Amino acid sequence: MRAPYRVALLGLGNVGGALARRLVEDADRITTAAGRPIALEGIAVAHPEGRRAPAPLLPAAKLLARPHLDAIVEVMGGLEPAHTYISMALRAGRQVITANKQLIAADGPELARLGPLRFEASVASAIPIVETLAETLGADRIGSIMGILNGTTNSMLAAMGEGASYADALADAQRRGLAEADPSADVDAHDPAAKLAILAMLAFKRRIDPSQIERVGIRNVEPAQVEAARRGGCVIKLIAAATGDDGTIAADVRPRLVPAEAPMARVHGAMNAVALDAEYAGSLLFEGPGAGPDAAASAVLADLIRAANDAPASAGSLLATLADGSPAIVVPLGPEKPYRAAS
Ligand code: HSE
């Protein structure tokens, strides 16, 4: 058996807590999968006072300065201080695993140039789409991506379809640990736009600036509209979509009217889905839990096991190749395709 793989955890919120629990409760199975034990050396949290944790709580700077660390797992979210800590760790030769979609969408290519960066959990949580795009489909040509990439809004739209008010639907998503700390990231579609930017970079191998992706959130979707869509044989879904034909990138995120019989219409609650059209592999559809502590922790753990096994960080390596390129011009897909806009 190889020596333990020593890991520092930055953040002990919903996802960090689920990961820490899993590392303790599932230690034997994780050791078998990783070929060695994974040892949690310490955890950094903003306010350690009175908190209980399965490893010593330390200030981030102190934890990162510890010798012999193999990897850090960043599940704090937000651009700073996550960016600073990740750069420090990569420059120090450590592997980095992050669930931070905002940071990867904005700065992933530069960060990935510094060292092995893994971010499976940043898009669609438990759906293994990031390494699949970079590695399994790396040599294919992806023409289009379409998906439901935000569990909070998908769950809210479903609840509103069953009569809940917008406010109650949002409160329920927050209670279940689905929503971002600032839920405007969900309802105003910054979160799915960041995820779409990551998928589009991996699929089309072009640098994408997430702020160039047109976004319409669900803030103005009224329960009456959800009901009217239902009477018309449709459901309203927040669809993130992109095409990369002929070197032109078209992408947007907006509520669309999806016919009730379409696979995307049947993606319920906090589930996500990603449909890809690949020239050689054909049409692929991935569906699974897209938000929630255990689903996100499952993807973080997958990356951690890959790191402990010395598997390549394929998605990070791909992003690193885009660091010198200027961002692609991104035009909106517009209100007609892939489905008619809901408003
Ligand atoms: N707030 C996000 C969502 C969490 O609802 O999809 C998972 O990225």
Side-chain angles (χ1 to χ4, degrees):
M1 175 79 64
R2 296 173 71 190
Y5 194 67
R6 285 165 301 205
V7 177
L9 179 61
L10 304 182
L12 193 60
N14 287 331
V15 180
L19 177 69
R21 242 187 338 273
R22 184 92 191 270
L23 286 172
V24 172
E25 288 170 7
D26 242 355
D28 289 348
R29 255 192 296 184
I30 291 169
T31 300
T32 304
R36 50 175 150 170
I38 293 185
L40 199 49
E41 293 278 298
I43 305 175
V45 292
H47 302 289
E49 307 80 22
R51 293 200 64 171
R52 290 177 47 196
L57 291 172
L58 297 166
K62 209 164 172 186
L63 186 54
L64 288 171
R66 276 174 88 124
H68 315 306
L69 268 186
D70 293 303
I72 70 153
V73 173
E74 183 274 312
V75 284
M76 316 160 69
L79 293 178
E80 282 296 351
H83 185 286
T84 302
Y85 295 152
I86 288 177
S87 316
M88 279 169 64
L90 290 170
R91 286 182 208 281
R94 283 156 185 164
Q95 300 255 344
V96 170
I97 293 124
T98 177
N100 194 325
K101 52 255 167 164
Q102 196 191 356
L103 181 61
I104 294 298
D107 299 321
E110 284 78 19
L111 288 170
R113 237 183 357 190
L114 302 176
L117 179 63
R118 300 173 195 265
F119 47 92
E120 184 64 63
S122 66
V123 182
S125 286
I127 302 178
I129 190 66
V130 166
E131 285 294 313
T132 297
L133 266 174
E135 196 173 73
T136 315
L137 299 171
D140 212 320
R141 277 198 189 77
I142 310 294
S144 68
I145 305 166
M146 176 179 61
I148 293 170
L149 299 179
N150 184 266
T152 298
T153 47
N154 201 52
S155 164
M156 288 175 68
L157 288 168
M160 285 159 68
E162 286 160 13
S165 69
Y166 177 95
D168 285 349
L170 175 56
D172 182 55
Q174 288 178 302
R175 252 194 311 276
R176 289 160 57 206
L178 306 177
E180 298 300 297
D182 174 358
S184 68
D186 299 293
V187 298
D188 294 327
H190 297 280
D191 173 270
K195 292 166 176 166
L196 183 61
I198 296 170
L199 294 186
M201 286 194 272
L202 297 173
F204 307 136
K205 302 176 176 61
R206 303 278 304 279
R207 180 84 197 249
I208 312 276
D209 173 351
S211 70
Q212 297 304 303
I213 297 179
E214 189 170 288
R215 296 172 286 109
V216 181
I218 67 156
R219 209 180 268 278
N220 297 322
V221 174
E222 304 282 345
Q225 269 177 290
V226 178
E227 176 53 23
R230 196 187 61 75
R231 283 199 306 272
C234 290
V235 287
I236 297 181
K237 293 287 186 190
L238 185 62
I239 296 290
T243 59
D245 300 335
D246 315 324
T248 304
I249 299 201
D252 59 30
V253 185
R254 60 177 78 231
R256 293 186 184 269
L257 293 164
V258 180
E261 65 280 6
M264 284 290 153
R266 294 194 291 266
V267 177
H268 289 303
M271 301 292 271
N272 279 189
V274 182
L276 300 176
D277 268 319
E279 185 172 342
Y280 298 98
S283 294
L284 302 163
L285 178 62
F286 303 81
E287 184 181 344
D294 285 332
S298 155
V300 172
L301 184 59
D303 271 346
L304 196 46
I305 288 171
R306 279 192 278 263
N309 272 319
D310 304 319
S314 304
S317 302
L318 198 165
L319 283 198
T321 65
L322 309 179
D324 286 330
S326 48
I329 292 170
V330 181
V331 298
L333 279 162
E336 296 304 325
K337 286 182 176 176
Y339 298 107
R340 199 148 50 81
S343 50

